[in-house]
Amino acid sequence: MTMLPEPSAIKLGLVIDLDICVGCQACVVNCKEWNTAGYGAPLADVDAYGGSPNGAWLNRVHAYEAGSGAEARTVHFPKSCLHCEDAPCVTVCPTGASYKRAEDGIVLVNEDWCIGCGLCAWSCPYGARELDPAEGVMKKCTLCVDRIYNDNLPEEDRQPACVRTCPTNARHFGDLGDPNSEVSLMVAARGGVDLMPEQDTRPVNKYLPPRPRRVADDAPMSLVSMVEADSPGGFWKWVDTTLDRLG
Amino acid sequence: MRPAWSLIFFTTMSGLGLGLAGWIVIGLLPLMTVSSLIGVAVLTLFLIGAGLLSSTFHLGHPERAWRALSQWRSSWLSREGVLAVIVMAGLAGWFAAGYLGMIVPLWANIALLVLIYATVYATSMIYASLKTVARWYHPLTPACYLMFAAAGGLLASLALLSLLGLPITAALAQAALVLMLSAWGVKFAWWRVAGMARNQGSIESATGLVGMGAVRPLMPPHTEENYLQHEMGFVVARKHADKLRMIAIGLGGVVPVLVLLMAPASASALAFGLIAHVAGMFVERWLFFAEARHVVTLYYEGAA
């Protein structure tokens, strides 16, 4: 059913901290590893070891430079499905394969119904959907629906693969419908933002912008001045004069 | 956007077939003989049906295409499919009634006409409802599809009239001329207004990196072109857009207009004009897809 459900009370999603992501791609790899064996058809790769490899991935990490000159910063930017409340990818689907779950807001594709027309990928402003090159069905982030409710896994593993694997803790999973959840408090404290708010998709996933650059009280010392400040007449002075004497 | 041949063929051929059907159900073609009735029926249903069939060629799972008839409450693609099936069935009934010598009531003709143009409208809304492609997301997009269906359909009707050896009145030829000029007028307006539309937003709003100065892509997330770039980042047509636009106008508009002005009674001239028009429409539709920029290219190119 591709009519959107009434907004759910529980809105499961991700909060991604752009301040601390280092762009290591571990989330990308673990996402592919889990999802190629999990929900639906495997995530195919074509010509994986050849000249122009191509494949379906549910999570990709871009890198941007923000600002210029001395103020420029490198920002690593992971991007996957934002599980939008007004998800255009759901309403455009002609078959009912693309749907948003009424109970927790996760957007999924029923791969047995998907005809692979690609219209949902066209309607998504974020590029969150990729057609599987082998299976001909649309693939997208499932928020690891087969992990988060999986009683067979230890409790600490019941979160999306990308979140579980992130070595810097830049990714967080939780209920963004609950204003008192850890993720909601984080978004409130850090001024979490929606991507492309002008598209009116109302994404559930939020991004925490990089913290303002901290400016040191004093300019850092040069090595020479450190030597001079630390050891007037000490060891380094002896080295200095000895080397001078050697000509 | 990548121009898929199946989609270009689909929108062009079914648009022409539906336009032709619209003129047929209001009685423009007096189909007096059995052979003319069957010939026109086959041609019309073939144009619509071949177009529809070709649209399933770009699917990952064409065998499941029937499922696309289920979500008419939210999806314009589904509505297009449902309406096309109803129109095909209605037209088959209309031709069968003619074959059996039955009189089709006026309300049925009007209902069929409305359904025919509703189908063309639904085709256009598949594209015009996508907020991610600013130049499609415009009321003039359905206007172009509707006008080209009407104008192309009338040109095809005239060609069929002359092929059947039936007279073409000066008024009818003039009507076809005015409609063809109007359709291209709407298309020129689309190029000026919708065609100039830029996608809302910026790389800053797309990444949420607002107030940090200019943002530029530093590293792509993968070393080779992915599905998104293949599907949304087509560049060949943008390079040759001006030349292709002249070809589309020349074949699709100028040639048919000259035929209607100079030789509106000649069957061969009209057939030539129709073929040129269809060829021009292929180029027009190819540009429609190929020139469109998807907002996701912000993430890859920093502009869209």
Side-chain angles (χ1 to χ4, degrees):
Chain A
M1 245 296 287
T2 58
M3 298 289 283
L4 285 165
E6 289 294 310
S8 55
I10 300 175
K11 303 179 203 305
L12 296 184
L14 301 176
V15 171
I16 294 168
D17 192 339
L18 297 180
D19 194 64
I20 52 179
C21 174
V22 294
C24 72
Q25 312 276 337
C27 57
V28 177
V29 174
N30 205 26
C31 167
K32 180 93 169 182
E33 191 278 333
W34 177 265
N35 285 293
T36 202
Y39 182 98
L43 284 169
D45 284 314
V46 175
D47 195 22
Y49 304 99
S52 53
N54 169 36
W57 299 72
L58 312 183
N59 176 31
R60 294 185 187 257
V61 181
H62 296 246
Y64 297 99
E65 187 175 62
S68 54
E71 291 301 308
R73 299 179 63 164
T74 300
V75 181
H76 297 283
F77 183 85
K79 182 162 66 62
S80 54
C81 172
L82 308 175
H83 299 278
C84 303
E85 295 221 48
D86 283 332
C89 56
V90 169
T91 50
V92 297
C93 177
T95 66
S98 186
Y99 66 105
K100 186 171 175 70
R101 281 158 52 114
E103 61 269 36
D104 54 18
I106 299 179
V107 176
L108 289 176
V109 174
N110 176 349
E111 295 181 6
D112 291 336
W113 287 7
C114 177
I115 58 175
C117 69
L119 192 58
C120 56
W122 286 14
S123 77
C124 173
Y126 308 108
R129 289 172 170 246
E130 298 184 16
L131 196 77
D132 190 275
E135 205 59 33
V137 294
M138 199 51 76
K139 305 297 288 189
K140 70 176 292 300
C141 161
T142 66
L143 215 59
C144 283
V145 69
D146 47 357
R147 285 176 72 100
I148 59 177
Y149 295 112
N150 193 336
D151 294 336
N152 297 320
L153 295 177
E155 188 156 359
E156 65 269 25
D157 283 336
R158 287 179 215 158
Q159 46 182 329
C162 58
V163 175
R164 185 77 180 99
T165 204
C166 178
T168 60
N169 226 15
R171 305 179 70 103
H172 305 271
F173 164 69
D175 177 11
L176 287 143
D178 172 5
N180 296 313
S181 68
E182 224 172 292
V183 282
S184 294
L185 293 175
M186 207 181 292
V187 169
R190 293 277 304 281
V193 295
D194 289 346
L195 303 186
M196 288 196 203
E198 63 279 356
Q199 287 276 336
D200 299 323
T201 51
R202 298 199 297 145
V204 169
N205 286 12
K206 303 284 183 241
Y207 282 75
L208 306 181
R211 290 184 173 91
R213 186 186 290 278
R214 278 174 298 179
V215 180
D217 295 338
D218 304 305
M221 287 177 159
S222 70
L223 186 60
V224 171
S225 58
M226 281 167 80
V227 167
E228 284 170 355
D230 281 356
S231 53
F235 171 72
W236 293 109
K237 184 76 180 175
W238 175 81
V239 171
D240 187 31
T241 48
T242 308
L243 290 171
D244 275 349
R245 238 176 285 150
L246 287 172
Chain B
M1 309 293 289
R2 188 174 64 88
W5 288 112
S6 58
L7 292 185
I8 295 167
F9 189 79
F10 152 59
T11 60
T12 313
M13 296 316 262
S14 57
L16 181 70
L18 288 162
L20 174 62
W23 295 106
I24 290 171
V25 296
I26 59 170
L28 191 71
L29 293 180
L31 301 170
M32 295 309 190
T33 64
V34 173
S35 57
S36 71
L37 182 84
I38 291 175
V40 168
V42 167
L43 176 72
T44 309
L45 293 172
F46 172 79
L47 285 173
I48 303 171
L52 273 180
L53 195 66
S54 85
S55 73
T56 66
F57 291 165
H58 85 291
L59 299 180
H61 281 274
E63 79 284 2
R64 300 178 187 160
W66 60 272
R67 286 194 186 275
L69 304 178
S70 65
Q71 302 300 315
W72 48 270
R73 283 193 295 171
S74 70
S75 165
W76 278 106
L77 177 53
S78 187
R79 285 171 198 164
E80 200 275 339
V82 171
L83 283 164
V85 168
I86 295 173
V87 163
M88 297 266 290
L91 281 173
W94 192 92
F95 286 118
Y99 182 75
L100 298 171
M102 290 156 58
I103 304 287
V104 179
L106 183 64
W107 66 262
N109 284 326
I110 291 172
L112 209 43
L113 183 67
V114 170
L115 283 168
I116 283 166
Y117 279 95
T119 311
V120 178
Y121 182 73
T123 306
S124 70
M125 285 306 288
I126 296 170
Y127 310 107
S129 66
L130 293 176
K131 206 175 179 178
T132 47
V133 183
R135 53 190 293 146
W136 290 353
Y137 190 68
H138 197 278
L140 280 173
T141 301
C144 288
Y145 275 71
L146 291 167
M147 288 299 287
F148 278 128
L154 189 54
L155 185 64
S157 303
L158 260 57
L160 282 176
L161 276 175
S162 63
L163 283 172
L164 295 171
L166 296 164
I168 295 170
T169 61
L172 200 55
Q174 277 164 15
L177 183 68
V178 169
L179 206 49
M180 186 60 73
L181 289 171
S182 312
W184 280 102
V186 173
K187 185 68 198 187
F188 285 137
W190 185 89
W191 270 324
R192 278 197 75 85
V193 183
M196 289 300 180
R198 291 285 165 269
N199 287 312
Q200 276 183 300
S202 60
I203 187 171
E204 286 83 12
S205 75
T207 55
L209 301 172
V210 181
M212 296 176 63
V215 176
R216 67 178 183 87
L218 194 62
M219 277 187 288
H222 34 80
T223 51
E224 294 293 323
E225 186 185 73
N226 72 352
Y227 171 74
L228 298 171
Q229 289 158 299
H230 179 65
E231 196 72 359
M232 329 280 183
F234 195 79
V235 290
V236 177
R238 289 203 276 278
K239 192 175 151 201
H240 302 292
D242 290 339
K243 275 180 226 162
L244 287 165
R245 206 174 278 195
M246 294 314 289
I247 294 170
I249 297 166
L251 288 172
V254 176
V255 172
V257 162
L258 288 178
V259 166
L260 289 167
L261 274 174
M262 291 153 70
S266 154
S268 51
L270 281 168
F272 174 71
L274 180 62
I275 290 165
H277 174 72
V278 171
M281 292 312 294
F282 272 110
V283 180
E284 185 267 347
R285 228 27 75 82
W286 193 73
L287 275 174
F288 176 77
F289 287 100
E291 277 195 290
R293 292 181 70 96
H294 193 283
V295 73
V296 79
T297 50
L298 280 175
Y299 287 108
Y300 288 90
E301 295 162 28

